[in-house]
Amino acid sequence: MNDDAPAPTPAPVPRRARVRAPELIGKGGWLNTGGKDLKLADFRGRVLILDFWTFCCINCLHVLDELRDLEEKHRDTLVIVGVHSPKFVHEAEHQAVVDAVERYEVHHPVLDDPELATWKQYAVRAWPTLVVIDPEGYVVAQHAGEGHANAIRTLVEELEAEHEAKGTLRRGDGPYVAPEPVATDLRFPGKAVLLDSGRFLVSDTTRHQLVELAEDGETVVRRIGEGVFREPQGLALLPGGKVVVADTVNHALRTYDPETGAIELVAGTGKQWWQGSPTSGPALGVDLSSPWDVAWWQGKVWIAMAGVHQLWTYDPATETVEVAAGTTNEGLVDGPAAEAWFAQPSGLAATEDRLWIADSETSAVRWIDTDGVVHTAVGTGLFDFGHRDGAAGQALLQHPLGVTALPDGSVAVSDTYNHALRRYDPATGEVTTLATDLREPSDAVLVGGDIVVVESARHRLTRLRLPEEAVQVESAAYRTQREATGVAPGRLRLDVVFQAPTGQKLDERYGPSTRLLVSSTPPELLLGGDGTGTDLFRELDLNPDVTEGVLHVSAMAASCDDDPANDYPACHVHQQDWGVPVKVTADGVARLPLILAGMDG
């Protein structure tokens, strides 16, 4: 080595677009700050990540988990702020946001923005969206959907180094103040099942346990699984007396034996399923994605796989899992199981000839028959919801999480965001209301002539007598309130913006590394440009006779670490679904950019 040789010139850091970050405003105020109102200036000197989320959204919950390690590792330089931006009417209630922050263990400040004021300021179009702001208050990146943790980690480290050198980085404690803990026997319970003993087994979701309650539904007999489960949800009694548990955040199924107390992992690797991963095989070798409920039907465990909008099955005899219904596209499409679309299925109930499904994001009750055909009983799609009884074709629910089969062939619906227990009767085609003034009911269990409801946000089980007559409720109908984008008639250029993170490149070893799926509501909105392709851009032909609607866009991009010396580089999948309300107008835009990762040039 020649010590006199000049030092190599370091590679220049690529210049980033510098856009001044708008102020943070929200009518609901701040949570997790000890009562202090914060402004953007309070974060000057820190790397700031805004997480635009809403608590109904499974992808948002995945991102909360993705960010936890980053938040811990960089806690003296990084602040994450959750900007809660509601989809459903219930999510605009301040107490519901308070509950969700505790339920999902959000350990950073949260701005409650019920009117989407900050959402609009930052031109956000999808849940979840992450916006990265540098220590001088400039937006430097935006990411929509899941799978961006590694990219954001790299960017945070770059910003730390850059602003440490400039003297604009400020280290220290963040603004998070933990709320006071509340003592109750249950904390946001999710699901319940009646054991052969007559006792209840409840998933005590926020405390990461199962709890066995006595026949009164109140007295705690034992707590089960401390340190084993993470936010468990669904429970189903198996032949022989064991219970299968949807271990949701661990992306796994476990069994619990009430006789011996034994807990056994039976499906899942502990890793979240991503596009391109196996969809069948040995149960302990296949990834799962946020299993939310389980039911025993036709000799198998059926799984409401909320994280990928599908139904899967687990066969204890062969110890295998496989996809049973759904394409991973989010929406409401009936038909043969392999072609159906679901939207966060979250509740299951089995009868001899039907598996009932609470399809939460479409506010729908659906069912699959023994021939593998999916049907919709109540619900119209992702954007219409409310509380309306009557003929099923016009009845409305609001984000139901549970279904319970009743002896007469009807089904009770835990209509979670309406705080009600509803009933759908296939014999009459009618929807009625059985009970109101429940608080986020998420499941119900039939016990003789009574029905025991899991009141999740009241942290208890509530026993009700099944009523002879329905409750009269004033009807309410809503649509998801998001500002429509004005688009010009005729040709519309759709661009999904994706910039591979620093140190990564698109993974094209096995063919195209990107995928784009476009459809619309109503279907007549698009005369051309719908369907699936591998480019992240598309020319769309708008129908001049349709003046408004929703464009449904699903995009995926796979990138791998760009290191020639590494024969097995780590790869990362980035994916997001958008539902973009549009209004066709003469002065509308001719280009619609949707940011998957990076900045729109």
Side-chain angles (χ1 to χ4, degrees), residues 519-539:
S519 61
S520 67
T521 301
E524 298 77 28
L525 175 64
L526 289 178
L527 293 177
D530 56 338
T532 303
T534 57
D535 293 322
L536 290 182
F537 62 88
R538 189 78 57 84
E539 298 288 344

Side-chain angles (χ1 to χ4, degrees), residues 109-127:
V110 172
L111 176 63
D112 181 10
D113 183 18
E115 297 176 347
L116 302 181
T118 296
W119 167 286
K120 294 172 186 174
Q121 288 286 325
Y122 282 82
V124 174
R125 296 185 185 275
W127 297 278

Side-chain angles (χ1 to χ4, degrees), residues 311-341:
L311 303 181
W312 287 41
T313 59
Y314 161 64
D315 187 343
T318 60
E319 298 182 343
T320 57
V321 294
E322 64 180 351
V323 173
T327 65
T328 76
N329 296 322
E330 184 179 17
L332 193 153
V333 176
D334 289 338
E339 302 170 12
W341 292 21

Side-chain angles (χ1 to χ4, degrees), residues 103-148:
R103 181 195 299 263
Y104 298 117
E105 299 182 306
V106 180
H107 294 162
H108 50 247
V110 172
L111 176 63
D112 181 10
D113 183 18
E115 297 176 347
L116 302 181
T118 296
W119 167 286
K120 294 172 186 174
Q121 288 286 325
Y122 282 82
V124 174
R125 296 185 185 275
W127 297 278
T129 291
L130 299 172
V131 176
V132 183
I133 300 172
D134 73 12
E136 294 180 285
Y138 290 91
V139 176
V140 294
Q142 183 169 322
H143 301 263
E146 302 178 53
H148 302 291

